[in-house]
Every structure is written in structure tokens, then in C-alpha cells.
């Protein structure tokens, strides 16, 4: 089956998979979605013995139908190799009856590596397929992890440049150091005086700016995105949910056809949307449990059917990658539950942009029945880290802890005994100060970098290479700008 992609705001705008990857965002500001979610071409039982790479090919070939077998395998082999510190790529830890899908064994110790290891290869292959002569400028906003993972993936990749905006004082010290020490002749990092939503909105506005696109083209450039608005980011994320189910089957933790729940700490909604796509492909996922921190705009949406960012405070938490009030990928789900009605979706998104909120219909609410939602306060997040550690010795990061709390709360309230897979999205080393303080408050006064050795001792795990390499690295990027100066900063960097 040949799968093509259309914009959530204009169904007449249809492109191939490679064109959608190249564009990143549709010209009307919509997101690209497949005309239909494909089904897996093999049985779940056949997935059991597959490696991560084989699973990736089995899933991605159904979505990226204009890639040849050779092209897709080439991308997969370059992505999922020795840069991951485990052969399984995404191992599963059984901790007190909850299955933690560890997505942080890549080059930058966060789940973004799972997709951003392959996106540069998908993008450069797409450029060749479409005879693109321009240099591709990856323009990205990050709440902490996407930026470093994207820079690591695109550093010195021929025919590309990458510019990353992150919120100054809105990421952990380790996250910031990972970004500002990134090497690469084609890499630029800019701290903005604002929050992630400001950075993300500024990037989207630049994508929609026709005059800027014209000026870029005149200089031999064109924009693409490494954010999860790019379908080339989303499709590789579907893989690890398919892989997790197959591994649980292989380990005889579940029976064939047995339903599981997936709990995902959620900010921009891409990671949980990928689990939803895996369910649509045929994986027996019963509930998709959306876990929020104190920026609980998604929790409130699932409770009420109203998405409202205007009447709430933006909270800086110890799980900064989830400090988001505009969850871009939710638009893909809204489009689907609106019956793929592009006009209805465009109207709702206009309401969000102009009035800061929108309300879905009762009929659309029925389309959310696969989802549950919960949230964790800062105190509950810290308690989840401490309690799991004291009981089992397993140390998790703050984002995973949000999901662990929501998972435990859901099980207690519903008495549901289905097995739960928690998406473990970052290494505890990435948020060492918050993690160690949760375990014992005496660590609150310690220097963040000194605590790395203490976490190593407490967790019994090795210091990841991604952390070791920044300890003595030089700061290479110090550029800062105001939110309303983002476009001019890009123009200056590209000499437009």
C-alpha cells in the first residue's frame, strides 16, 4: 500500500513520506498525518524474535512507502548502532511489577535519541530522492532534550545546518552543558529569554513566514524541523512500543493477545501519540495513560474536553522537558477524532492561537476513550523516586517518576490488573540534582556535578559517556536573544 501524507489543516495538500519529512511542517501551519494508519504486515508472534533494527524496518516500511528497502535499511543501520550502550537499544526493566521501557541508552541519554539518531539519515535520503539542491536548515525549539539529540544527530552532516533555541534557565544544568558544548561546524545554539512555548511558537511562525522562505531560497537554504512536528520524528517512535510488546511476549511476561497499558510522561504529546499509532497498527494496547507534571494542560483537557492554556501559570518544574502548555502533536489526534475534518481542526487551532483555548464536541470526546490521564505534583514526583529506590534500588529520573506516580495512582483507583509499560524517557544522570535531592534532601545543597559520582554509587550504574564528555568540555555557544528577536537572530546566523 502506498501511504501518502496530508495536512491536518488542508486535506487537499497531499505529499509523499519523503516530502513530508523534508518540509517538517505543512505550508498552512498544519502537521502531516498519514492518509490512513497502516496495519503491521506480520503477526505479533512473528515480531518476538526480531532485533530492534528488524522491528524498526518492519514498522517503518509501512509508513515510509516511497523509500526503497535498501534506503530504509541504510538509515536504520546507521542509526541504531554502537552509539547506544545496550545491544537491545531499548531494554525493559521489571521493577516491582511495572515494566520500565528504558529509552535513554543513546548518545544523549534521553528518549529523543530513539528518533533523532535516524532523522538525519531519513532527511538526507529524502533530499536526494526529491533532487533538493538547497542546504537544509534544521530549525528547532527544545525544552531540553530534543536540542542536544538533534545537534548530535546533525553535527557535520553534509548539506545541513542546525539552529536550536532553548529557554534560558528552563533546562537542567546537565542539559544546558550538553547543548552549549556541542561541536560541529554546522551547529548553532541560542538561549531565549522566555519559556519553551515561546520558543516553539517563534519557530512555527518562522516556518509559516513566506517572506523568510523566499529570502532563504535566494541564499540556497530551506527550513526543515527536528521537532516531533516532523513525521520523520514520530514514525521511529512507534517502533519502540511495538518492540516492547514483542519483548514482553518473548520473555513470557504476557500471553499472545494480552492487553497492556502504556504510561507516558507527556509534554508535546508526540511520544504518547506514537503509542496510539502502535495501537492502531495492531499492538494490543488497552489504555494510553497520559502523565503530566504541574503544567497539567493535557490532564485538564482529557477531563473536560477543553484545551485552555490562557488561564494558567507556566510552572518551572524538576521535569523541565514537560514544562509545556502548547502540546503541538495533540493536533494530530484532534484531527483524527474530528473525523479527519481539516476545516474543523483548523478552526480549533485558530481558537488556540487567537483566544488561547478550544472546546471539542461530545462526539469528539468519544474518540478519546483509549486515553486516561493523571498528573503528579512536585512532591509526588520526588516521593515516587524515593519510594521506588528504597523498595527496589532502582533509580529513575524526574520525568519517568511523573509517569510512575500516575501509573500507581491509576492502578490503585481502578483495581485494573493489566500490566503497565512506563516509558522511561531520560537517564537519572541528566537530572542528577533533582533525583538525588528526592532520594535524600541533604543533597539539595550539593553541586550538581559533584553529585554525579554519588548517583553512580547509589544506583550501581556507570556514568554514561554523554555525561563524561561534558565534564571538561569547552563552552562553544553563548548566544542569547529575546523572543521577538528570534527571526532576526536566524537571519544573522545565515547571513540573510
Amino acid at each position: 500500500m502506498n501511504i501518502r501524507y496530508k495536512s491536518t489543516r488542508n486535506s487537499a495538500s497531499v505529499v509523499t513520506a519523503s516530502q513530508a519529512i523534508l518540509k517538517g511542517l505543512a505550508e498552512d501551519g498544519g502537521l502531516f498525518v498519514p492518509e490512513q494508519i497502516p496495519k503491521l504486515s506480520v503477526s505479533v508472534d512473528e515480531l518476538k524474535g526480531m532485533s530492534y533494527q528488524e522491528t524498526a524496518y518492519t514498522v517503518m516500511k509501512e509508513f515510509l512507502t516511497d523509500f526503497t528497502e535498501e534506503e530504509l535499511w541504510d538509515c536504520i543501520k546507521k542509526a541504531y548502532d554502537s552509539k547506544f550502550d545496550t545491544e537491545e537499544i531499548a531494554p525493559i526493566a521489571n521493577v516491582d511489577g511495572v515494566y520500565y521501557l528504558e529509552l535513554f541508552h543513546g548518545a544523549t541519554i534521553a528518549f529523543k535519541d530513539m528518533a533523532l539518531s535516524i532523522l538525519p539519515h531519513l532527511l538526507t535520503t529524502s533530499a536526494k530522492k526529491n533532487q533538493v539542491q538547497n542546504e537544509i536548515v534544521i530549525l528547532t525549539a527544545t525544552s531540553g532534550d530534543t536540542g542536544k539529540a538533534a545537534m548530535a544527530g546533525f553535527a557535520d552532516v553534509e548539506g545541513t545546518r542546525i539552529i536550536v533555541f532553548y529557554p534560558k534557565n528552563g533546562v537542567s544544568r546537565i542539559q544546558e552543558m550538553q547543548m552549549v558544548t556541542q561541536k560541529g561546524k554546522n551547529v548553532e545554539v541560542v538561549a531565549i529569554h522566555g519559556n519553551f512555548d515561546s520558543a516553539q511558537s517563534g519557530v512555527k511562525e518562522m516556518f509559516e513566514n513566506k517572506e523568510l522562505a523566499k529570502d532563504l531560497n535566494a541564499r540556497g537554504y530551506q527550513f526543515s524541523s527536528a521537532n516531533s512536528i516532523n513525521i520523520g520524528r514520530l514514525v521511529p517512535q512507534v517502533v519502540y512500543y511495538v518492540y516492547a510488546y514483542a519483548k514482553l511476549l518473548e520473555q513470557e511476561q504476557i500471553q499472545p493477545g494480552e492487553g497492556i497499558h502504556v504510561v507516558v510522561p507527556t509534554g508535546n504529546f508526540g511520544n504518547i501519540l506514537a503509542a496510539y499509532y502502535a495501537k492502531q497498527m495492531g499492538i494490543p494496547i488497552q489504555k494510553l495513560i497520559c502523565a503530566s507534571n504541574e503544567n497539567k494542560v493535557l490532564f485538564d483537557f482529557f477531563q473536560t474536553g477543553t484545551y485552555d492554556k490562557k488561564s494558567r501559570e507556566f510552572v518551572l518544574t524538576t521535569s523541565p522537558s514537560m514544562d509545556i502548555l502548547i502540546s503541538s502533536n495533540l493536533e494530530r489526534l484532534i484531527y483524527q477524532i474530528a473525523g479527519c475534518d481539516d476545516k474543523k481542526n483548523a478552526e480549533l487551532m485558530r481558537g488556540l492561537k487567537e483566544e488561547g483555548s478550544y472546546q471539542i464536541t461530545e462526539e469528539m470526546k468519544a474518540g478519546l476513550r483509549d486515553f486516561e490521564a493523571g498528573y503528579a505534583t512536585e512532591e509526588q514526583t520526588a516521593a515516587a523516586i524515593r519510594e521506588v529506590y528504597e523498595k527496589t534500588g532502582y533509580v529513575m529520573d524526574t520525568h519517568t517518576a511523573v509517569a510512575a506516580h500516575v501509573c500507581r495512582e491509576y492502578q490503585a483507583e481502578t483495581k485494573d490488573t493489566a500490566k503497565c509499560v512506563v516509558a522511561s524517557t531520560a537517564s537519572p544522570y541528566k537530572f542528577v540534582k533533582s533525583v538525588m535531592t528526592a532520594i535524600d534532601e541533604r543533597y539539595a545543597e550539593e553541586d550538581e556535578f559533584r553529585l554525579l559520582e554519588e548517583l553512580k554509587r547509589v544506583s550501581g550504574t556507570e556514568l554514561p559517556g554523554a555525561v563524561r564528555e561534558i565534564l571538561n568540555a569547552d563552552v562553544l555557544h553563548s548566544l542569547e536573544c529575546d523572543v521577538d528577536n528570534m527571526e532576526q537572530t536566524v537571519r544573522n546566523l545565515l547571513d540573510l
Side-chain angles (χ1 to χ4, degrees):
M1 186 189 303
N2 187 31
I3 299 285
R4 297 195 306 164
Y5 290 78
K6 55 189 177 180
S7 167
T8 51
R9 301 186 193 180
N10 178 6
S11 294
S13 176
V14 178
V15 295
T16 64
S18 62
Q19 288 166 342
I21 290 168
L22 273 173
K23 287 173 182 287
L25 193 70
E27 285 165 15
D28 51 46
L31 307 188
F32 287 113
V33 290
E35 288 185 311
Q36 62 190 94
I37 309 290
K39 297 293 182 189
L40 285 164
S41 58
V42 299
S43 69
V44 174
D45 201 52
E46 288 173 273
L47 290 164
K48 268 196 320 195
M50 288 188 185
S51 67
Y52 192 87
Q53 293 83 348
E54 289 166 337
T55 309
Y57 178 74
T58 302
V59 172
M60 292 172 65
K61 73 181 175 70
E62 302 300 335
F63 285 97
L64 309 181
T65 53
D66 66 328
F67 282 67
T68 66
E69 181 176 351
E70 185 183 1
E71 286 168 340
L72 192 49
W73 264 116
D74 183 58
C75 294
I76 288 165
K77 285 174 181 171
K78 285 175 178 170
Y80 304 113
D81 57 11
S82 59
K83 69 175 80 67
F84 286 82
D85 64 19
T86 59
E87 197 179 328
E88 305 101 302
I89 308 296
I92 298 171
N94 182 353
V95 182
D96 198 27
V98 174
Y99 298 91
Y100 290 85
L101 176 61
E102 294 185 345
L103 301 171
F104 54 76
H105 290 279
T108 75
I109 57 176
F111 84 98
K112 307 293 172 77
D113 290 324
M114 303 299 293
L116 284 165
S117 293
I118 195 167
L119 181 60
H121 306 296
L122 294 175
L123 195 66
T124 50
T125 303
S126 296
K128 283 179 197 156
K129 291 176 82 64
N130 291 277
Q131 290 84 48
V132 170
Q133 302 302 316
N134 283 345
E135 192 164 12
I136 297 163
V137 179
I138 307 299
L139 190 64
T140 291
T142 184
S143 53
D145 287 336
T146 287
K148 171 61 181 179
M151 286 187 285
F154 281 96
D156 293 324
V157 170
E158 200 175 331
T160 69
R161 291 186 66 166
I162 178 164
I163 302 171
V164 170
F165 290 95
Y166 75 93
K168 186 71 177 169
N169 303 320
V171 299
S172 81
R173 182 77 181 124
I174 299 284
Q175 284 178 309
E176 183 169 49
M177 284 302 293
Q178 282 189 304
M179 286 189 279
V180 298
T181 59
Q182 175 66 50
K183 295 174 183 173
K185 295 190 292 292
N186 62 338
V187 169
E188 302 288 353
V189 188
V190 186
I192 67 152
H193 306 137
N195 59 37
F196 170 74
D197 285 337
S198 308
Q200 182 167 250
S201 296
V203 164
K204 286 189 86 172
E205 280 169 21
M206 281 188 267
F207 268 96
E208 293 170 39
N209 186 327
K210 299 285 192 291
E211 188 159 333
L212 180 57
K214 199 168 112 188
D215 293 347
L216 283 163
N217 190 53
R219 294 283 296 184
Y221 293 124
Q222 68 185 66
F223 280 149
S224 190
S225 173
N227 280 89
S228 53
I229 55 175
N230 193 320
I231 199 73
R233 260 282 301 275
L234 190 60
V235 168
Q237 291 180 270
V238 179
V239 174
Y240 47 75
Y241 293 110
V242 175
Y243 180 75
Y245 191 86
K247 285 295 128 187
L248 290 178
L249 262 184
E250 191 180 317
Q251 295 163 12
E252 298 185 345
Q253 300 293 324
I254 56 175
Q255 298 302 310
E258 182 179 341
I260 62 168
H261 301 325
V262 171
V263 192
V264 186
T266 309
N268 220 8
F269 207 74
N271 204 0
I272 195 166
L273 184 71
Y276 176 74
Y277 278 17
K279 178 182 170 79
Q280 302 295 305
M281 290 192 88
I283 298 300
I285 296 170
Q286 291 180 346
K287 287 293 180 186
L288 300 138
I289 303 173
C290 178
S292 298
N293 64 14
E294 289 185 6
N295 292 293
K296 58 187 184 70
V297 64
L298 284 166
F299 170 78
D300 292 338
F301 167 72
F302 282 110
Q303 299 302 111
T304 65
T306 298
Y307 193 99
D308 183 2
K309 74 173 181 73
K310 70 179 185 302
S311 56
R312 65 179 70 234
E313 183 189 352
F314 186 95
V315 185
L316 289 173
T317 73
T318 53
S319 46
S321 298
M322 298 160 65
D323 291 347
I324 294 171
L325 294 182
I326 305 172
S327 300
S328 284
N329 269 288
L330 185 62
E331 179 171 346
R332 287 184 164 114
L333 180 65
I334 296 297
Y335 173 77
Q336 186 135 343
I337 63 173
C340 300
D341 183 338
D342 53 345
K343 291 181 179 55
K344 176 66 177 170
N345 176 71
E347 178 192 324
L348 293 170
M349 295 308 125
R350 195 159 43 249
L352 182 63
K353 187 172 184 178
E354 293 171 6
E355 295 154 38
S357 68
Y358 61 79
Q359 168 82 45
I360 64 171
T361 64
E362 287 301 317
E363 190 181 4
M364 288 171 72
K365 273 189 206 173
L368 300 177
R369 58 185 169 274
D370 292 335
F371 290 86
E372 297 288 340
Y375 73 96
T377 64
E378 286 288 86
E379 292 76 16
Q380 289 166 332
T381 302
I385 293 171
R386 184 174 61 255
E387 287 162 15
V388 170
Y389 169 69
E390 288 174 351
K391 189 173 183 183
T392 68
Y394 188 75
V395 181
M396 67 181 83
D397 94 292
T398 44
H399 304 74
T400 307
V402 168
H405 169 80
V406 169
C407 177
R408 189 170 53 191
E409 205 170 54
Y410 174 81
Q411 289 173 320
E413 283 176 12
T414 63
K415 305 293 185 280
D416 190 334
T417 57
K419 294 184 173 71
C420 286
V421 171
V422 168
S424 184
T425 53
S427 164
Y429 285 97
K430 202 148 196 173
F431 304 94
V432 60
K433 184 74 170 277
S434 300
V435 168
M436 293 305 293
T437 304
I439 289 172
D440 192 325
E441 285 186 2
R442 70 188 169 91
Y443 293 119
E445 303 308 313
E446 291 277 343
D447 175 75
E448 188 160 346
F449 283 87
R450 284 186 188 164
L451 285 175
L452 292 167
E453 283 298 323
E454 189 65 6
L455 176 54
K456 179 181 171 182
R457 183 189 68 77
V458 161
S459 65
T461 58
E462 283 303 309
L463 207 61
V467 173
R468 286 198 307 272
E469 71 184 29
I470 65 169
L471 292 179
N472 299 305
D474 294 329
V475 171
L476 304 174
H477 307 277
S478 56
L479 193 58
E480 297 185 18
C481 79
D482 292 333
V483 173
D484 58 8
N485 205 31
M486 286 172 65
E487 182 188 328
Q488 189 56 51
T489 301
V490 168
R491 286 180 175 276
N492 293 346
L493 288 171
L494 298 176
D495 198 23
L496 296 185

